[in-house]
Amino acid sequence: MSQTNSATKVFKAHFSKAELFALYKSTIAEGASVGRDGVRLKEFEKRLGQEIDLILRKVKARTYQFTSYKEKLVSKGAGKSPRQLSIPTVRDKLVLKSLARALAEIFPAQVAGLPHSTIKRVHEASRVRPATDFYLRLDIQHYYPSINHKILLKLLRRKIRNRQLIHLLTNAIQTPTGKKKSSASLNAKGVPQGLSISNILSAIYLTDVDDLLATHGGIDYFRYVDDILFAATPSEIEELEKSVPRLLRQKRKLECHKVGTGGKSVKVPLSEGIEYLGYRFCGNVIEVRASSLKKMFANLMKNVTGFKYKKQSSGKSIWRLNLRITGCQLKARRIGWLFFFSQSKNLKQLKHLDAFLAKQIAKVVQPEEIESIKRFVKAYHEIKFNLDKTKYIPNFDELTDDEKKEHIAILRPKKASTLDALSPAELDDLFQESISYEVDGLEKDMMEAFS
């Protein structure tokens, strides 16, 4: 089958009425932010069939237009410009989710997984390379906003000849964020962050560059999104410091921060160690980087303060704090600070967190409640050695109906008789709705810890 027919077949499969209905129920129905059109999820769902018919009709005619995205600013810490996220309308979110799934089938090698495999590779290189070798970490300036549309579309057309799919993708990346859409306001470059298609488009953009940089013998090359790292001999690092920014500029019109200018671009001996993807690597050492650890202390303190000035019950406060400590499993995903940092070998950091929390929590929690507070060290061991059987870390995918009722009763106090009257489907809907806000908050805390 030709690439053209393959992309068209994938596109038609995902943009069918049955597939859009299923996609809505599986990924949108449990929560979607309100976009600039002001349409809320329940309002959209009442006319779901009509909305899907409209989507399919306009997609087929190549007249579908995305509504300008609502702007959401996420703090990256003191002294840093916030990250701009783009929030689509409910209808556009459904279209973007379908686009993302189609792209994942057409470009499977560019689907970004969790960074854990990259972290393992960096640790192995750090462990075996001579201490006299160097790291070079290069930071691309404003990566997502700098992606060139002409280059990106040329890369996409290598596998996509379907005009409907190209129209949708072009319209999605040209749609502005935070202002009314007009011909004058269309994005001339850049991929809006926060959309379902953002990560895979950013990966496709650097595919050829990866192929060029990964072929140098003796040099270890790593990239996760726009975080680039090399480990090599001093002379090789000197050459890479010059050649890689030049390559990115010529091939992709991207600029790197110069090494040592206050950005993330740095050059250091392996013996000094390097911070990368939230970790610090130095020889055999792999641990949580200092800034991420500091943010976790601040996050815990925010939760402790919540006990002192709580409007909710202490049971709900303890539930939220324990979720921050252990993380959770939901929809086959492992979510949480400790899941991300489970490759760390520095248990002293976790013991320090436990000691800090025990001291602070004793000031605001009744003595009989202290034992219900979970611990980082215990959660770490459960993740590493007992994850399939543990009850210490909640797996929200495997709860019984009675267990779901227990969680709902903590988060949204309701009479037992009210919960007992619900059908299994109604109970699950209420449970998913109850925990989605909490898990969203957990993921937001993670983003802040890694920024």
Side-chain angles (χ1 to χ4, degrees):
M1 183 181 291
S2 71
Q3 289 182 342
T4 301
N5 289 336
S6 177
T8 296
K9 184 176 180 180
V10 169
F11 175 69
K12 288 182 176 179
H14 284 282
F15 280 86
S16 68
K17 194 163 187 173
E19 190 66 23
L20 288 174
F21 264 111
L23 182 61
Y24 177 85
K25 292 297 183 183
S26 64
T27 65
I28 311 290
E30 291 171 7
S33 300
V34 178
R36 283 179 63 86
D37 63 355
V39 175
R40 297 185 177 277
L41 196 62
K42 290 184 179 179
E43 182 183 347
F44 181 86
E45 192 162 331
K46 289 177 182 177
R47 55 176 193 269
L48 179 59
Q50 295 170 276
E51 291 284 356
I52 290 177
D53 286 340
L54 181 148
I55 289 170
L56 293 174
R57 184 172 67 252
K58 291 196 171 187
V59 166
K60 184 177 181 179
R62 282 184 285 147
T63 58
Y64 189 91
Q65 297 288 320
F66 292 88
T67 302
S68 56
Y69 306 121
K70 186 167 73 173
E71 181 183 58
K72 180 179 180 181
L73 299 177
V74 178
S75 172
K76 294 173 66 177
K80 297 180 181 179
S81 298
R83 179 183 289 109
Q84 183 194 61
L85 297 183
S86 301
I87 309 299
T89 65
V90 179
R91 181 197 298 150
D92 288 346
K93 184 174 183 179
L94 179 57
V95 174
L96 289 163
K97 285 274 188 183
S98 192
L99 276 175
R101 290 194 172 191
L103 286 171
E105 283 195 46
I106 298 167
F107 298 91
Q110 278 67 55
V111 177
L114 294 173
H116 292 76
S117 61
T118 303
I119 291 165
K120 286 181 180 178
R121 290 172 52 229
V122 175
H123 177 51
E124 181 61 20
S126 301
R127 190 179 66 80
V128 302
R129 294 193 74 100
T132 52
D133 280 358
F134 270 68
Y135 294 109
L136 173 66
R137 190 182 66 210
L138 293 175
D139 179 49
I140 299 174
Q141 297 184 39
H142 311 298
Y143 177 51
Y144 282 85
S146 299
I147 291 176
N148 183 280
H149 288 180
K150 184 177 180 180
I151 295 173
L152 176 60
L153 290 168
K154 183 178 179 180
L155 293 168
L156 291 170
R157 287 190 177 102
R158 290 180 180 178
K159 289 190 174 184
I160 300 172
R161 294 293 184 269
N162 184 285
R163 291 187 293 175
Q164 295 163 339
L165 179 49
I166 289 294
H167 171 266
L168 279 177
L169 291 167
T170 303
N171 194 265
I173 61 178
Q174 288 182 343
T175 297
T177 299
K179 52 189 175 183
K180 189 175 180 180
K181 188 175 181 180
S182 67
S183 58
S185 69
L186 293 179
N187 294 331
K189 65 177 182 177
V191 169
Q193 293 187 66
L195 306 182
S196 303
I197 60 173
S198 302
N199 286 346
I200 192 165
L201 289 179
S202 72
I204 291 168
Y205 195 69
L206 288 178
T207 301
D208 290 352
V209 175
D210 286 338
D211 293 341
L212 290 171
L213 296 177
T215 56
H216 291 276
I219 294 174
D220 285 304
Y221 165 67
F222 314 95
R223 181 179 69 82
Y224 190 79
V225 190
D226 58 338
D227 290 321
I228 295 173
L229 181 68
F230 294 93
T233 64
S235 60
E236 289 168 332
I237 290 294
E238 290 292 334
E239 175 57 31
L240 289 167
E241 184 183 349
K242 300 172 186 175
S243 64
V244 176
R246 184 168 61 245
L247 175 69
L248 290 170
R249 188 180 306 114
Q250 292 173 349
K251 295 287 187 181
R252 293 294 181 267
K253 298 186 183 299
L254 297 171
E255 294 291 333
C256 292
H257 285 287
K258 289 186 177 181
V259 172
T261 57
K264 295 181 181 179
S265 294
V266 295
K267 177 176 61 178
V268 294
L270 262 70
S271 58
E272 290 186 16
I274 191 80
E275 291 186 352
Y276 184 66
L277 298 181
Y279 281 83
R280 179 178 177 271
F281 302 90
C282 185
N284 286 324
V285 173
I286 175 172
E287 61 187 5
V288 181
R289 70 179 183 187
S291 58
S292 293
L293 193 65
K294 183 178 179 180
K295 288 177 182 178
M296 189 59 186
F297 277 106
N299 188 282
L300 290 174
M301 199 63 227
K302 181 174 66 176
N303 277 266
V304 170
T305 303
F307 280 86
K308 189 174 182 180
Y309 301 104
K310 63 180 179 291
K311 294 181 181 179
Q312 69 269 5
S313 67
S314 60
K316 186 173 183 178
S317 296
I318 290 172
W319 190 98
R320 284 180 167 171
L321 177 60
N322 282 338
L323 186 68
R324 293 315 189 266
I325 296 169
T326 66
C328 66
Q329 297 187 76
L330 177 65
K331 296 180 181 177
R333 296 170 59 218
R334 297 171 181 177
I335 306 167
W337 189 89
L338 200 51
F339 271 114
F340 187 90
F341 288 116
S342 61
Q343 294 188 65
S344 172
K345 295 184 178 181
N346 187 343
L347 289 183
K348 289 183 180 179
Q349 291 180 319
L350 302 183
K351 291 177 181 178
H352 192 186
L353 284 170
D354 281 333
F356 169 81
L357 184 57
K359 182 177 179 180
Q360 298 300 323
I361 209 71
K363 302 175 184 177
V364 294
V365 172
Q366 297 300 317
E368 62 272 16
E369 295 178 314
I370 288 178
E371 293 218 2
S372 62
I373 307 294
K374 295 186 178 181
R375 295 183 298 112
F376 284 94
V377 171
K378 170 69 173 176
Y380 173 86
H381 280 288
E382 293 298 297
I383 288 172
K384 296 288 283 187
F385 308 114
N386 193 38
L387 186 59
D388 291 339
K389 298 179 181 179
T390 185
K391 297 293 184 181
Y392 198 73
I393 298 167
N395 185 337
F396 293 134
D397 295 332
E398 297 183 354
L399 299 183
T400 65
D401 285 352
D402 285 341
E403 289 170 330
K404 291 176 184 177
K405 291 175 185 178
E406 290 175 6
H407 286 284
I408 294 171
I410 294 171
L411 297 173
R412 295 186 175 186
K414 292 182 180 294
K415 292 181 180 179
S417 58
T418 302
L419 295 177
D420 290 339
L422 298 174
S423 68
E426 290 172 331
L427 177 66
D428 189 62
D429 286 345
L430 180 58
F431 172 73
Q432 296 293 340
E433 185 181 326
S434 299
I435 65 169
S436 63
Y437 175 80
E438 305 298 338
V439 175
D440 285 348
L442 180 63
E443 293 192 290
K444 180 182 177 183
D445 290 343
M446 287 176 60
M447 284 184 64
E448 291 179 356
F450 307 146
S451 63

